[in-house]
């Protein structure tokens, strides 16, 4: 069985302007990192275009329309202090949504064990009716709700190891006992949510905030708390919000992860999925802003996925 790799050229048309950390070159860094012969076995697929119906699984109709209406004909438009639109952003967002839904369908159909989506814009900060933190629509949450509509997938877990708390995913999952969200993130840090006390309506949220300077040892301790909760939840599909901005070289935060930590956490998630979810894992790119560290960390993550 192979690992699927979803991309789309529209990710290169979401231009966030000069000096923005969530920039087009991130995609080039990922593509370059996965271009060597050791990645020849990756099954590369172009993401299909998602639909407004996919987006409405997580977002209000009013919010969705407001995002598309804000897409400028030229230049840039700003949805919040960090979240910028260019003429190609609406289409890029639709393909980012379509990619994760297709990855869920392909893994569910048994076409591969697992999949990695390297599409922009990222998603985990986007809330029901609000763009935040470079995110327009919550790709991973949309993929999880999409998965729940599949036969044989009754429970979906998202594990988020981006350095920032996945506030949008937590909000989308809060009241749903069949959805589980665990986040390992720096605190204090943007967006300020994600304390251990935020547990969801059904105890289905597990937050593991780490102080600045935390590294691989603290990551392993945090996973030690998440793992039993995830095992109790017993997912049919494991999804990953794979941000690589907890890397020690990343300019946006102060955690101290290295490439080997991404290999380790990916292997742990794969082992958990093998135990209870028939090995099904769908991972999607969130943050990661030092392009060298991003490329090497994505390579470590995908190498582990391919080894499953
Ligand atoms: Zn982040």
């Amino acid at each position: 069985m192979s690992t699927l790799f979803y991309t789309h050229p529209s990710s290169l048309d979401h231009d966030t302007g000069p000096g923005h950390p969530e920039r087009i070159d991130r995609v080039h860094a990922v593509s370059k990192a996965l271009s060597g012969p050791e990645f020849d076995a990756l099954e590369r697929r172009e993401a299909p275009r998602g639909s407004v119906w996919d987006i409405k699984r997580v977002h209000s109709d009013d919010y969705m329309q407001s995002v598309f209406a804000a897409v400028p004909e030229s230049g840039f438009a700003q949805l919040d202090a960090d979240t910028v639109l260019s003429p190609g952003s609406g289409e890029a967002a639709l393909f980012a949504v379509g990619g994760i839904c297709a990855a869920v369908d392909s893994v569910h159909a048994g076409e591969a064990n697992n999949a990695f989506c390297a599409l922009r814009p990222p998603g985990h900060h986007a809330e029901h009716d609000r763009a935040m933190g470079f995110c327009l629509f919550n790709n991973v949450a949309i993929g999880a709700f999409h998965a729940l509509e599949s036969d044989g997938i009754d429970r979906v877990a998202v594990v988020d190891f981006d350095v920032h708390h996945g506030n949008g995913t937590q909000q989308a999952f809060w009241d749903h006992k069949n959805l589980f969200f665990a986040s390992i993130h720096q605190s204090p840090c943007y967006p300020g949510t994600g304390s251990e006390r935020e547990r969801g309506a059904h105890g289905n949220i597990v937050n593991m905030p780490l102080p600045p300077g935390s590294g691989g040892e603290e990551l392993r301790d945090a996973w030690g708390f998440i793992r039993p909760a995830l095992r109790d939840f017993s997912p049919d599909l494991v999804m990953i919000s794979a941000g690589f901005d907890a890397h020690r070289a990343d300019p946006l935060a102060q955690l101290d992860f290295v490439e080997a930590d991404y290999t380790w956490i990916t292997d742990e998630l794969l082992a958990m999925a093998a135990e209870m979810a028939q090995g099904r894992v769908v991972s999607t790119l969130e943050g990661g802003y030092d392009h060298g560290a991003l490329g090497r960390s994505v390579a470590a993550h995908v190498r582990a996925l391919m080894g499953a």
Side-chain angles (χ1 to χ4, degrees), residues 20-73:
H20 197 288
E22 204 293 286
R23 63 174 66 123
I24 292 166
D25 283 347
R26 298 180 66 235
V27 174
H28 295 308
V30 169
S31 301
K32 190 173 160 213
L34 300 180
S35 63
E38 71 169 308
F39 297 104
D40 282 353
L42 265 186
E43 190 176 328
R44 294 162 199 264
R45 293 190 182 179
E46 196 160 279
R49 191 172 185 269
S51 74
V52 297
W53 304 108
D54 294 322
I55 294 168
K56 281 160 71 167
R57 291 192 177 98
V58 168
H59 299 282
S60 71
D61 188 53
D62 282 353
Y63 167 68
M64 180 185 69
Q65 309 265 12
S66 75
V67 171
F68 289 120
V71 172
E73 285 187 21

Side-chain angles (χ1 to χ4, degrees), residues 179-301:
L179 293 168
F180 175 95
F181 178 65
S183 179
I184 299 165
H185 50 272
Q186 178 179 318
S187 178
C189 196
Y190 182 89
T193 49
S195 90
E196 298 101 318
R197 295 185 301 279
E198 297 165 21
R199 293 300 322 277
H202 307 279
N204 55 320
I205 310 281
V206 179
N207 282 309
M208 297 303 303
L210 303 179
S214 300
E217 196 176 320
E218 290 80 5
L219 168 67
R220 283 155 179 78
D221 290 346
W223 175 245
F225 284 92
I226 292 170
R227 184 170 50 193
L230 186 54
R231 186 170 276 138
D232 286 349
F233 176 74
S234 191
D236 301 310
L237 168 69
V238 174
M239 300 183 75
I240 306 174
S241 264
F244 299 95
D245 40 9
H247 193 283
R248 64 168 49 149
D250 197 273
L252 262 57
Q254 294 80 41
L255 291 192
D256 203 24
F257 294 2
V258 296
E259 289 79 347
D261 295 318
Y262 292 114
T263 302
W264 180 82
I265 189 68
T266 307
D267 282 340
E268 289 290 313
L269 289 162
L270 287 164
M272 190 66 91
E275 194 181 308
M276 49 192 56
Q278 298 177 40
R280 297 168 181 145
V281 173
V282 173
S283 176
T284 188
L285 181 66
E286 302 282 2
Y289 304 102
D290 179 274
H291 294 185
L294 173 64
R296 294 190 304 277
S297 301
V298 164
H301 180 60

Side-chain angles (χ1 to χ4, degrees), residues 124-125 133-134 160-165 190 243-246 250 252-253 286-289:
H124 72 152
H125 294 306
F134 320 154
D160 183 329
F161 56 67
D162 188 279
V163 80
H164 304 101
H165 180 238
Y190 182 89
F244 299 95
D245 40 9
D250 197 273
L252 262 57
E286 302 282 2
Y289 304 102

